[in-house]
Amino acid sequence: MATPAQWISGSRPRTLPMAVAPVVIGTAAAYGLGAFKPVNAVLAALVAVLLQIGVNYANDYSDGIRGTDDDRVGPFRLTGSKAAAPAQVKRAAFIAFGAAMVFGLVLVVISQAWWLLLVGAGCVAAAWGYTGGKNPYGYLGLGDVFVFVFFGLVATLGTTYTQAGTLSAASWIGAVGTGLIADGLLMANNVRDIPTDETAGKRTLAVRLGDYRARRAYVWMLGVAVLGPLLLAPWNPWMLIMLLLVPACLTPSWLMLGGKKGPRLIPVLQQTGFINLGYAGLFTIAVVLKTLF
């Protein structure tokens, strides 16, 4: 039986900032539209975090039963380590998905955005299909598309829409930026796992690009994400504070371009998570300052 600490570790709490960041950005964009609704924001955050936990457990289960995690460097795996039975991990994933759907339904009822029910169902289906089922698209190199769409565009724009009933240029640019940073974290994770993924037949985008190009793709993702909000500077000069993120991007970029491998890439994952939180925080500050001044 896995201990509570192992279950928490298996949920990969260090990935949760990637779920929170788009909700913060989407809420900031709604605030800029004069429509900040804290209850809706909290509900959106719960949905995003629970979906992320569900994805993590589903990934743990699916990779574990396929043997992909038998010799994996990185976060603790419940199934691969045999600390928990596969059925238990699968059940935990669907409990998280179910809780996300409940909070999502409440959010839809409050916001009256009924079409988001279909989006929510798509989120859960995509979350499971990432590594689950007979033909998981995460094994085909499409996981990065899933992360960008659902943990970038859908999470951010959905948060803005359920508060403001409309979208703005800020919400779109913020969604693209946080989605690219989330993709950067996934890319760094998959670069670390290229040797074992190739052996297991998991054709992630990093495997398809190869080590050299995948590392440079990570740097491009961070660069476009950080510089993107500058497009808003003619209307909101406060967006220039996003440049404060540039120094934070230098160390993980240097580690990636320097060819660090295995456990030596773990700091890149941690730092990329903090970059996304910093991105969300600075973006929010810029929007708030624009409304105040």
Side-chain angles (χ1 to χ4, degrees):
M1 293 290 292
T3 65
Q6 287 175 320
W7 279 105
I8 293 174
S9 179
S11 72
R12 304 179 198 177
R14 289 177 178 171
T15 65
L16 299 186
M18 292 298 174
V20 174
V23 176
V24 173
I25 294 168
T27 299
Y31 181 85
L33 291 167
F36 172 54
K37 296 180 180 179
V39 173
N40 294 36
V42 170
L43 287 169
L46 288 171
V47 171
V49 168
L50 287 165
L51 279 175
Q52 180 69 65
I53 292 173
V55 168
N56 291 340
Y57 281 140
N59 180 263
D60 186 305
Y61 163 77
S62 298
D63 280 350
I65 62 173
R66 287 186 172 90
T68 309
D69 285 343
D70 288 349
D71 186 23
R72 177 67 59 89
V73 176
F76 175 76
R77 265 73 167 188
L78 289 158
T79 308
S81 68
K82 296 181 172 55
Q88 292 177 312
V89 180
K90 183 179 181 180
R91 188 180 307 117
F94 278 96
I95 288 173
F97 290 147
M101 292 175 70
V102 170
F103 286 117
L105 179 59
V106 174
L107 179 58
V108 167
V109 171
I110 291 175
S111 65
Q112 295 293 292
W114 297 103
W115 59 273
L116 285 175
L117 288 173
L118 294 177
V119 175
C123 286
V124 173
W128 174 252
Y130 176 45
T131 55
K134 295 182 179 179
N135 297 295
Y137 61 84
Y139 280 63
L140 303 175
L142 298 176
D144 304 76
V145 176
F146 160 75
V147 168
F148 180 77
V149 170
F150 289 98
F151 286 97
L153 301 183
V154 171
T156 306
L157 300 177
T159 298
T160 301
Y161 192 87
T162 54
Q163 294 182 56
T166 187
L167 301 175
S168 63
S171 62
W172 278 101
I173 289 177
V176 170
T178 192
L180 285 173
I181 297 173
D183 263 351
L185 185 144
L186 180 61
M187 183 65 74
N189 180 78
N190 289 342
V191 165
R192 182 198 63 193
D193 293 337
I194 284 176
T196 52
D197 283 344
E198 285 183 321
T199 301
K202 189 175 183 179
R203 303 284 295 170
T204 63
L205 182 59
V207 170
R208 290 181 178 277
L209 290 176
D211 186 87
Y212 179 85
R213 287 186 294 176
R215 290 174 184 273
R216 278 143 187 83
Y218 169 88
V219 178
W220 275 103
M221 289 173 184
L222 291 191
V224 173
V226 172
L227 297 179
L230 300 186
L231 294 173
L232 298 169
W235 300 274
N236 180 3
W238 293 106
M239 280 293 169
L240 292 173
I241 66 174
M242 299 301 290
L243 291 174
L244 293 175
L245 280 176
V246 171
C249 296
L250 295 179
T251 297
S253 295
W254 177 79
L255 290 172
M256 287 291 286
L257 295 178
K260 304 299 181 183
K261 298 182 181 294
R264 300 178 73 180
L265 281 178
I266 292 177
V268 175
L269 307 183
Q270 299 167 345
Q271 291 162 22
T272 307
F274 285 121
I275 288 169
N276 210 4
L277 284 180
Y279 182 95
L282 290 174
F283 193 94
T284 299
I285 291 171
V287 172
V288 172
L289 289 176
K290 175 65 166 65
T291 61
L292 295 177
F293 302 101

